[in-house]
């Protein structure tokens, strides 16, 4: 299959991790945040047609190549934390022995830390529980 320079993003799958922008060595894919959304910009003139790094390394398979008009910018709102409601990045817990990502769970960094600490406490046998 011959690759085209048209990059397709499925915003329903994208978890706003920005792995694609960090791995883009050509500068064709850039991301910036305004606090409520990730603005992903694609500059096709800088993207080598044979390059697939962003597509191959996306943990949720949100990027692909295909025919059609090229979109130059995507505005991807951050989901709300399922616990406190603040803007958050989806948390991808690893599942299975292969370390593959599980379903995205929207948690802000504070709630993710608290939930992680709670799970560690529950998993440790014989851990004294605080008096309540």
């Amino acid at each position: 299959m011959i690759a085209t320079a048209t990059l397709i993003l499925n915003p329903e799958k994208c978890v706003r991790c920005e792995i694609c922008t960090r791995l883009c060595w050509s500068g064709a894919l850039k991301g910036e945040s305004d606090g409520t959304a990730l603005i992903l910009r694609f500059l096709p003139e800088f993207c080598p047609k044979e390059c697939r790094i962003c597509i191959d390394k996306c943990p949720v398979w949100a990027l692909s190549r295909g025919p059609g008009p090229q979109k130059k910018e995507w505005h991807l709102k951050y989901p709300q934390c399922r616990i406190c409601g603040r803007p958050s990045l989806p948390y991808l817990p690893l599942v299975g022995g292969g370390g593959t990502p599980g379903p995205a769970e929207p948690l802000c960094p504070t709630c993710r830390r608290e939930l992680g600490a709670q799970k560690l406490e529950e998993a440790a046998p014989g851990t004294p529980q605080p008096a309540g």
Side-chain angles (χ1 to χ4, degrees):
M1 181 175 124
I2 297 173
T4 65
T6 302
L7 186 67
I8 299 167
L9 172 75
N10 181 336
E12 301 298 317
K13 287 184 176 181
C14 179
V15 294
R16 288 95 171 134
C17 66
E18 294 190 67
I19 288 173
C20 57
T21 61
R22 286 183 267 149
L23 293 176
C24 183
W25 58 270
S26 69
L29 201 53
K30 298 178 184 264
E32 91 182 41
S33 172
D34 68 3
T36 61
L38 169 66
I39 300 149
L40 197 60
R41 291 187 174 90
F42 180 62
L43 306 167
E45 61 273 16
F46 293 119
C47 184
K49 292 183 192 288
E50 64 280 353
C51 183
R52 294 183 44 90
I53 290 173
C54 61
I55 295 166
D56 294 339
K57 298 299 181 182
C58 177
V60 292
W61 306 281
L63 291 166
S64 62
R65 289 197 187 261
Q70 179 62 63
K71 194 167 182 176
K72 300 248 185 162
E73 194 169 278
W74 294 274
H75 288 261
L76 305 163
K77 286 191 66 120
Y78 293 124
Q80 290 184 324
C81 176
R82 71 172 176 84
I83 296 172
C84 71
R86 290 184 294 240
S88 65
L89 288 176
Y91 167 63
L92 292 173
L94 297 180
V95 295
T100 57
E105 183 176 15
L107 294 170
C108 72
T110 302
C111 292
R112 184 176 321 144
R113 271 192 309 275
E114 290 175 7
L115 189 61
Q118 179 184 359
K119 286 182 180 179
L120 284 173
E121 287 175 1
E122 291 170 359
T127 304
Q129 299 297 316

